[in-house]
Structures are given as structure tokens and as C-alpha cells.
Amino acid sequence: MARLVEENNRLRDRIRAGDRAAVERQRRLGKHTARERLNLLLDEGSFAEIDSYRRHQARGVKVDERRPFTDGVVTGAGTIDGRQVFVYAQDSTIFGGSLGAAHAAKIHKVMDLAMATGAPIVGLNDSGGARIQEGVLALDGYGGIFRRIVEASGVVPQISVVLGPCAGGAAYSPALADFTFMVRDTAKMYLTGPDVVQAVSGERVSHDELGGAEVHSRHSGVATFVCEDEESCLEEVRYLVSLLPANNLDPPPAAPSCGATGDERPALARIVPVEPNQPYDMRLVIEELVDGGEFFELHEHWATNIVCALARIDGDLVGVVGNQPMMLAGVLDGPAAQKASRFIRFCDAFNVPLVTLVDVPGFLPGAEQELAGIIRHGAKLLYAYCEATVPRVQVIVRKAYGGAYIVMDSRSIGADLSLAWPTNQVAVMGAEGAVNVLFRRELAAAENPESLRSTFADEYAGQLMHPYYAAEHGLVDEVIDPVWTRAAVARGLATLRHKRKAPPQRKHGNVPL
């Protein structure tokens, strides 16, 4: 027995050490090995590996007869801040991290275990895609991964981390995940690489231009977070996991109460200008509302006219959605609606209450937006809010016009509590626009149309746009002093903590995708 145990230990050491030359190539690229990455991600000494002896069984054209152990992916379980997660880390020193049948089976196993135990899944991607030598078996392996991601969606949090190439079918794992991290300069993600693009279309494009972190963080919206290096990236993953519940049945981890229900914030009255056309940074408002001024913003560089963030209010995790007047005056467009709707659906799936900060002049007008499907994209946001059963608090920070007011979690679509400031303007449109429509003939016949327009605008605003008009009709629950907004939101969330709303009996709804 002693001899057999010694042989096993030597074999395990060789497996963990890997091929020295391949490891050195990885380091020259500025990348860590798969096991080093797991050491950075997980609590020290917590990783328990699964399937370390797995090897491919393929036969065929140019199949590598060496059959190295692990088959290019390290899988298992560990803890982050003492909370269990299941992980897989693709090892690009073995077959370039390409996915074959054995490689896929290992990932299938940890995903099944995560679902069975109700624990988050974190995937570290560094792969050239499907292993060509294994043909359709490699494609079948990807299909099994995608099916499991969809089955786990809304059941356990899924985090995908792109630390190198993520090409072909491999790109769909990050696209389906709840959150996707990319490392600047080293991470690349695309369905067809630059060589194929050039062969098909004649277009010359670099790896970064086609699928770098900047592309996916600013334009495609696939990357939720971009980090400068692997160390900071994996530290951010640890922080995100520390915020999230383990599964859809467990509550999000809470911090101690910090007395938010009695917290006065005078800065709020200074941050937001009374004039409806003056810009300000909604992030400053969020800082005043959340514990310690700390929030974790998603998609910071994509659809910047809306802000989505995870934060705590009085110790409890909340999802914050807010229009951003610093960008496009805070209007809603297609990308903003997509960004917010996906975030809302995540929060609803994992029992994270929603706080919506409204300062919206409407939907972005124009032929380009209409042709790009702004109706369809706006419907996604409307659907996400209407479907959400978690506690929902709306705060109208300054103005809310037209259909954009409705879809930003108004009382009419199911907000539990709507708060407004005394300076709010809530109406079908701004006073000037309303007067131009309602008094078109009077203005055309007037000797001094500008003076008359101003008079009509004051009259319209005085009668229909103030928050008390909405409050009189029950569409605003309370008009509050801005300095008490944090306290009012905290009290509202505490009141709604035990909200229960059963969804209707149906297979599923038909989201306007």
C-alpha cells in the first residue's frame, strides 16, 4: 500500500506541475496557469479537484497519442470567503485548452454538482475552441455545456471569466452567463477569427478589433466587467460572489444594519439641479443612497445613459437602476433598455430588491432608433419590470416624461412604493412640447407667440406636472424632502422585506427578445 500511495503521489505531482516548456510559454504571454488562477480565486487550501486523471479516448486524424491527464481543464470545488463554489479552469498548456469529449464531460460534471448542491459556478475560459480532431464529439460537448447553463439560469449564479482566447462555440458560455469578466489585452472573444473574416469578406481586422475587451465592454455589451490584469480580475470575481446568494432559494448575504432609516443626506439637494435640462452624475446620487457610498457597477462602459449596480442599503443587497443625465440627457434607447432589462431579470431571479432612480425625458427619437428596434428593446425593459416579483421602490429624482416614465418601474406596472421630490415633473411630455401640441392654433394666431407660449407652459406645468398631481391620484405614494431619500428607501425596503407574490401558472412567458 505504501508503494502504491507513493506512486499515486508522484503521478499527482506530475499532473499538477504540467509541461515545463508549455508553462513557460504561458508565462511569457503574461498569463498564469490554470491552477495558479484557481489559487488566486479560491480561499487558500480550499480547492478539491475532481477528475484530475481524466484523459481523452479519441481515435482519428492527427489525434495526439500522448493523452495528457486533465485533458486541458482543471475542475472541482472550493470556497470564496468560506462559501462554496464550483469551478473549472481551462488549461491552454494542454491542447491549447481546446474542448474535446473528455474535457466537456468534466465541465458537465461540475455543473451538475453545482445544480445539485445549489452553489455558484465560475468558469475560467482560455481556449481555442472545439478540438478539430474529435469532430462532432467536441460539438456535442459544447451543446451539453450550453444546455446546462440554460438549466442553471436563475437557479445558481453563473460567472464566466475570459482570460485568453475564447473562440467559436466557446464564446457562447460567456454570452449565456449572468456575468462576464474580461482581462484587457489578453482576453479575446469571437465566433470567427481574423483569418476566417479575411478569407470570407476580405476585411483585415486584428484580434483586438474583432473581439478584444474594449469591443465587448463598449460596443457589443457581452463583457460585464473589464479588468487590467488577472489578479485584479479574480479579486473582483471574489467580491461579486461575496455579494450574491448561493442560489435562488437562499437570501443574499447581509451585512449588519447601519441605521439607514434615520440617515439624513443634505448633499442630495445640492447634487440634483432643479432645472430639468441641467446635467448631473446619477452615480453621485447612488453614492448618497447606498451604504458607505460603495456600489458595484455593471456594464460601466456600455449603454452609459443608464446605470445598473449592486449595492447595500442598511446592510441588505439591492439592485439599483438609474437614468444617467450626463449621457444623452438620460434618455432610453435600445442598448440601455437591453442592459437594464437583463439586470432586472437577474435581480428578480435571485431575490434582490430593486431601487429605480428616475430622471428620464423619454425614449431617444429618430429614424435610426426606430429602425434599430427601439420598440422591441423598450418592450424588454417593460416586460422585465412587469414580471419582477421582488420588492420594488421607485424614486422620481427629477423628471419623468411619456412612455419612459411608465417603463421605469412606475406604479402602473407594479412598483410597490413610489417616492417623489417636490421639484419633480411627471407628465406625458415637457411643458413646452405639450403647449406646442395643445395650443398650436392659438400660438399661430398670436401677435406675441413666445409670450403666450410661456404663459401656457406655466399653466400646464402648474396644473399637471407637479408631483402632487400624481400623488392625488395614488401614482406617487409620498412626496419627500430629498435629504431624507436614503432613509425613506431604507424604510420602504424594510417594509417590503417579506413580500410574497406567486407567479401565474404557466410554462413561461414570451419575452420580446
Side-chain angles (χ1 to χ4, degrees):
M1 177 60 72
R3 179 178 58 80
L4 292 173
V5 168
E6 179 62 27
E7 288 176 359
N8 179 55
N9 289 337
R10 285 198 297 269
L11 176 57
R12 289 172 68 87
D13 289 342
R14 288 201 304 273
I15 292 171
R16 290 171 179 170
D19 180 87
R20 182 176 299 178
V23 169
E24 287 303 316
R25 285 196 300 271
Q26 182 87 338
R27 296 221 170 92
R28 284 196 296 272
L29 294 171
K31 296 159 64 177
H32 289 86
T33 67
R35 295 178 188 280
E36 289 170 343
R37 290 164 174 167
L38 290 174
N39 288 337
L40 291 168
L41 174 67
L42 301 171
D43 296 340
E44 185 176 355
S46 70
F47 180 54
E49 189 169 353
I50 300 170
D51 270 350
S52 59
Y53 300 112
R54 196 73 177 248
R55 305 165 82 182
H56 77 74
Q57 308 298 318
R59 298 288 184 271
V61 179
K62 296 202 73 176
V63 170
D64 195 315
E65 298 298 333
R66 292 175 302 162
R67 300 175 59 232
F69 293 102
T70 76
D71 202 50
V73 63
V74 182
T75 57
T79 60
I80 292 177
D81 291 335
R83 301 171 66 224
Q84 181 166 290
V85 297
F86 283 85
V87 294
Y88 65 87
Q90 293 179 314
D91 184 354
S92 63
T93 68
I94 297 176
F95 302 144
S98 62
L99 183 138
H103 183 124
K106 293 179 64 174
I107 297 175
H108 297 169
K109 184 180 288 188
V110 294
M111 296 182 79
D112 291 341
L113 289 170
M115 281 285 283
T117 59
I121 303 167
V122 181
L124 308 185
N125 298 274
D126 189 355
S127 169
R131 195 172 301 165
I132 299 172
Q133 299 93 318
E134 297 196 28
V136 72
L137 294 179
L139 302 180
D140 178 69
Y142 271 126
I145 293 172
F146 303 152
R147 175 169 56 83
R148 286 170 172 81
I149 293 175
V150 174
E151 289 174 350
S153 181
V155 180
V156 296
Q158 299 181 78
I159 299 172
S160 187
V161 188
V162 184
L163 299 164
C166 189
Y172 281 115
S173 291
L176 289 168
D178 296 312
F179 304 97
T180 299
F181 290 78
M182 294 185 73
V183 174
R184 197 183 308 278
D185 298 331
T186 57
K188 309 288 185 291
M189 183 164 44
Y190 35 65
L191 293 179
T192 53
D195 294 339
V196 176
V197 170
Q198 183 177 354
V200 172
S201 67
E203 180 184 6
R204 290 181 176 271
V205 62
S206 70
H207 290 275
D208 282 326
E209 292 169 336
L210 190 62
E214 285 295 301
V215 169
H216 291 303
S217 67
R218 295 181 182 275
H219 303 291
S220 74
V222 176
T224 321
F225 306 99
V226 172
C227 302
E228 296 302 319
D229 51 51
E230 293 189 11
E231 290 85 356
S232 62
C233 179
L234 296 171
E235 186 59 38
E236 291 285 272
V237 175
R238 285 180 58 88
Y239 178 66
L240 176 60
V241 171
S242 75
L243 293 175
L244 301 178
N247 55 66
N248 65 328
L249 299 179
D250 289 352
S257 172
C258 53
T261 55
D263 199 349
E264 185 179 7
R265 294 299 174 105
L268 284 171
R270 298 191 298 269
I271 292 170
V272 181
V274 174
E275 297 79 7
N277 59 349
Q278 292 296 310
Y280 64 94
D281 192 345
M282 184 60 82
R283 293 185 184 90
L284 298 179
V285 175
I286 297 173
E287 285 181 6
E288 294 297 320
L289 293 184
V290 303
D291 297 352
E294 295 182 2
F295 60 92
F296 199 41
E297 185 175 355
L298 287 70
H299 294 291
E300 182 179 355
H301 303 295
W302 178 58
T304 51
N305 44 326
I306 201 162
V307 178
C308 297
L310 293 168
R312 295 190 186 279
I313 294 181
D314 210 22
D316 292 326
L317 183 68
V318 297
V320 182
V321 179
N323 306 112
Q324 175 56 289
M326 290 288 288
M327 180 59 63
L328 297 175
V331 297
L332 290 174
D333 59 4
Q338 293 177 75
K339 171 179 169 178
S341 57
R342 181 157 171 77
F343 177 66
I344 291 162
R345 286 174 64 82
F346 173 83
C347 290
D348 187 51
F350 290 99
N351 306 305
V352 179
L354 289 162
V355 176
T356 303
L357 307 177
V358 184
D359 189 351
V360 61
F363 284 93
L364 184 61
E368 182 179 350
Q369 282 294 309
E370 298 293 346
L371 294 174
I374 192 170
I375 295 173
R376 179 167 50 84
H377 296 311
K380 296 175 186 176
L381 180 55
L382 181 61
Y383 194 106
Y385 269 125
C386 289
E387 188 183 42
T389 61
V390 293
R392 291 154 55 185
V393 177
Q394 179 201 46
V395 181
I396 305 174
V397 176
R398 189 168 57 173
K399 61 184 179 297
Y401 296 154
Y405 155 71
I406 299 172
V407 305
M408 287 298 293
D409 206 18
S410 63
R411 284 291 262 139
S412 58
I413 65 169
D416 299 296
L417 181 64
S418 178
L419 305 172
W421 291 4
T423 53
N424 286 169
Q425 295 182 354
V426 184
V428 174
M429 60 180 68
E432 292 289 335
V435 165
N436 289 336
V437 174
L438 294 174
F439 300 100
R440 181 174 61 253
R441 293 178 181 175
E442 291 87 339
L443 292 172
E447 292 183 5
N448 189 347
E450 290 305 318
S451 176
L452 186 61
R453 180 181 287 108
S454 178
T455 301
F456 285 149
D458 290 344
E459 181 181 353
Y460 180 86
Q463 291 188 23
L464 298 176
M465 295 183 66
H466 59 81
Y468 304 102
Y469 181 77
E472 289 169 9
H473 292 81
L475 301 178
V476 164
D477 296 292
E478 196 62 43
V479 180
I480 61 172
D481 184 336
V483 303
W484 291 108
T485 304
R486 170 170 158 82
V489 171
R491 285 195 298 268
L493 291 171
T495 302
L496 297 166
R497 181 171 288 125
H498 301 295
K499 175 186 174 183
R500 294 291 183 269
K501 183 179 179 182
Q505 293 298 313
R506 59 183 177 184
K507 186 174 182 180
H508 58 72
N510 187 14
V511 183
L513 298 174

